Amino acid sequence: MNRRRTTAGVLAAVVLLALAGCVSGPSLENRGAVTASPGDRHRLTVGSAGFTESDLLAQMYALLLNRAGYRTSLLTVANRELYEPALESGQIDVVPEYAATFADWLNARAGGPDAPPAGSPDLAATMTALRRLATPRGLTVLDPGRAVARNAFAVAGSFAREHGLRTLSDLGASGLPVRLAAGDECVQRPYCAPGLKKTYGIDLVAVDPKGVGTTQAKRAVQSGQDQMVLTTTTDATLDQFGLVLLADDKHLQNADYVVPVVNRSRAGGEGVTKALGRLNAVLTTADLAAMNQQVDSWRRLPADVAGAYLRDKGLLK
């Protein structure tokens, strides 16, 4: 994902880093307090993880909460290791997250780096696991909508046409050797290199460590140096590089649906739930991709794009 940071966000990260030593989540002694009745503070801080899509979601959350009568401020903290403890402590009240990724992160935090994955391609199972992990930390995970930003794989359009490729199964059946442009962790992650080999039978001959969906990675596929790139379903720049997504027809990828996560004692009340739930009825994966494009390619401000979208959908006047 294309990460866009602001000066305010960097300063906020510095402040939270200074506090990180004393913000490690609820202790065993005060776990009872985190399951108390949901709170409804009228001044709320909405967090963003500092990349385009997170900025857009945070802006939409803030606008919807403002319309519901809350007063909001935005805080950008690009490191989950900082913003999640801040969410637990109440320095941040609301943050957009991704269901399977956040479930795995919380599970690793609770059980160590070797903990088995908590997320899965099954949305219901993933949400059950996520809420089980989040509740003891004083967090409430609201309902997901239709928008999902899961990992995805793209190839050059010319390559797809030449070999008749529409799905990852097609690529596996073709027997073509594939160099994959991705992050270093792809070699070990079950949804990446191991999964492509096991689930789809793809002849993956190498992982080219160029990052997830980076310009460098896409150019490597565009030029033919690599044959496929790891990106996301909401990547808005594939057309610029002549790339197309191959369908994950055997559902290798996890259920990374967009979900709001709130501090229960400060923002777990019905007002916040209703305000943010209004977005679920309209926001789609395609909508997110289109908004990402407006920010990343057209250089529009996330606040302007978010406001225009909500007004177009009738959620703002």
Side-chain angles (χ1 to χ4, degrees):
M1 296 181 179
N2 183 20
R3 298 183 178 276
R4 295 163 56 90
R5 298 186 183 182
T6 63
T7 302
V10 174
L11 290 175
V14 171
V15 172
L16 290 177
L17 180 60
L19 295 173
C22 58
V23 181
S24 56
S27 67
L28 292 176
E29 291 77 13
N30 65 11
R31 283 290 171 93
V34 301
T35 55
S37 298
D40 193 25
R41 302 291 182 94
H42 287 276
R43 291 177 179 267
L44 300 175
T45 300
V46 180
S48 165
F51 56 91
T52 297
E53 189 168 287
S54 187
D55 288 345
L56 284 163
L57 289 164
Q59 291 283 353
M60 286 190 284
Y61 288 3
L63 289 167
L64 289 170
L65 289 168
N66 290 342
R67 185 183 185 278
Y70 296 89
R71 296 185 65 181
T72 62
S73 59
L74 290 165
L75 185 62
T76 300
V77 185
N79 186 322
R80 188 179 275 117
E81 284 74 12
L82 293 178
Y83 75 67
E84 190 278 333
L87 183 62
E88 290 184 24
S89 72
Q91 292 172 279
I92 294 174
D93 302 301
V94 185
V95 71
E97 262 292 357
Y98 301 92
T101 295
F102 197 43
D104 286 344
W105 192 87
L106 288 178
N107 199 42
R109 191 174 176 204
D114 296 327
S120 76
D122 186 308
L123 177 59
T126 295
M127 289 298 296
T128 297
L130 175 54
R131 284 170 168 153
R132 172 179 55 79
L133 291 160
T135 298
R137 296 187 174 278
L139 307 179
T140 295
V141 182
L142 305 185
D143 289 340
R146 292 180 288 165
V148 57
R150 58 166 60 100
N151 292 299
F153 297 91
V155 299
S158 56
F159 182 79
R161 289 190 294 273
E162 179 182 356
H163 299 287
L165 306 177
R166 299 181 63 184
T167 68
L168 289 171
S169 288
D170 292 339
L171 182 58
S174 74
L176 293 165
V178 175
R179 279 174 53 91
L180 174 65
D184 293 337
E185 69 279 1
C186 177
V187 175
Q188 297 180 325
R189 294 286 175 87
Y191 65 79
C192 203
L196 291 173
K197 294 176 181 178
K198 181 179 179 180
T199 303
Y200 289 106
I202 293 173
D203 183 14
L204 201 62
V205 297
V207 173
D208 189 3
K210 285 184 165 61
V212 179
T214 63
T215 297
Q216 183 186 22
K218 291 171 189 172
R219 284 177 176 164
V221 176
Q222 183 184 40
S223 70
Q225 176 185 345
D226 297 331
Q227 286 70 51
M228 190 161 65
V229 59
L230 171 61
T231 182
T232 69
T233 53
T234 55
D235 190 326
T237 63
L238 293 177
D239 287 348
Q240 297 176 26
F241 298 90
L243 306 183
V244 295
L245 291 178
L246 295 182
D248 179 22
D249 54 308
K250 293 184 179 179
H251 308 292
L252 172 63
Q253 300 306 315
N254 284 342
D256 258 332
Y257 284 75
V258 175
V259 290
V261 182
V262 304
N263 179 291
R264 179 182 174 87
S265 67
R266 295 176 56 86
E270 186 177 354
V272 170
T273 300
K274 283 187 174 181
L276 299 183
R278 299 177 72 212
L279 191 59
N280 287 352
V282 298
L283 185 65
T284 66
T285 303
D287 291 342
L288 269 182
M291 286 189 280
N292 285 338
Q293 183 178 37
Q294 291 181 55
V295 175
D296 292 336
S297 300
W298 305 354
R299 301 303 178 191
R300 296 187 61 193
L301 293 175
D304 294 340
V305 174
Y309 176 80
L310 293 178
R311 286 189 293 273
D312 182 63
K313 297 298 181 179
L315 299 183
L316 286 183
K317 295 180 179 179

